[in-house]
Amino acid sequence: KRPAAIHAKRDKTGVLCLAANCKSILMWSHYADQHKGIAIEFSVKLTDSQHKVAYQAQPPRYSLYDIFVKKDSSILSLFTTKHMDWKYEEEYRIVMSEGDRLYDVPGAITAIIFGMRTSNKDKALVRKAAYDLQNIEFRECTRQPCSFGVLIE
């Protein structure tokens, strides 16, 4: 069992999760309420604060010394490692020292993509909320003909 101090440090850290692939049917199923939600597309330049998630069979190993004394990037893997079955997500993460607060988005919002089952009511609400944003495209997911794939139009 991990000590409570490790859980407390983990629970106080903020993590923003971003995916490089917005056409994954599994991503829409898992994270967008069975295609009823939206995806927000950003124009993002990779920086040192953005970390590509490592997908592996075993969780990272770390010690109390790594976490509370060294306080270096060795514990970053605690927040940037997932089991290899999630590799299709093509995920990037931005790790913040504090959770439970708002941060600026990591780049300009370039598009809002509606899922295949997003209601017209929700589409109208999103469009209204994004009214003042500049240069935003609104796109929709459709089913790729003769396949399980997703098209973004």
Side-chain angles (χ1 to χ4, degrees):
K1 291 182 90 172
R2 292 186 177 133
I6 293 174
H7 288 288
K9 183 165 184 70
R10 178 200 63 198
D11 293 344
K12 289 181 181 175
T13 302
V15 180
L16 173 63
C17 303
L18 305 165
N21 181 5
C22 65
K23 293 183 180 179
S24 167
I25 199 161
L26 286 175
M27 294 290 283
W28 283 99
S29 297
H30 290 152
Y31 300 112
D33 192 18
Q34 303 295 317
H35 300 266
K36 291 183 270 184
I38 65 169
I40 301 173
E41 181 181 273
F42 296 94
S43 172
V44 177
K45 292 182 181 177
L46 290 180
T47 66
D48 290 341
S49 66
Q50 299 162 4
H51 307 279
K52 189 164 179 56
V53 169
Y55 301 96
Q56 53 194 47
Q58 300 297 320
R61 302 277 181 218
Y62 51 88
S63 68
L64 290 175
Y65 178 79
D66 292 332
I67 294 171
F68 295 105
V69 178
K70 285 173 60 178
K71 297 182 182 178
D72 65 10
S73 61
S74 65
I75 65 163
L76 186 63
S77 64
L78 179 67
F79 301 102
T80 60
T81 305
K82 292 175 84 168
H83 190 270
M84 57 191 176
D85 286 351
W86 296 98
K87 191 171 186 169
Y88 70 88
E89 291 185 338
E90 300 177 41
E91 187 176 347
Y92 288 82
R93 290 187 172 178
I94 300 173
V95 179
M96 282 77 79
S97 59
E98 294 179 51
D100 252 355
R101 59 174 286 213
L102 294 176
Y103 290 87
D104 290 333
V105 295
I109 297 174
T110 56
I112 295 175
I113 305 163
F114 298 109
M116 286 186 254
R117 297 173 60 211
T118 305
S119 71
N120 288 334
K121 178 183 174 187
D122 286 345
K123 288 178 188 178
L125 287 171
V126 170
R127 286 177 189 274
K128 184 176 180 182
Y131 180 78
D132 290 333
L133 298 176
Q134 301 290 322
N135 302 317
I136 300 246
E137 287 184 44
F138 292 95
R139 300 192 211 141
E140 299 207 19
C141 289
T142 58
R143 190 177 305 260
Q144 192 172 37
C146 303
S147 123
F148 291 116
V150 173
L151 292 175
I152 310 281
E153 299 176 328

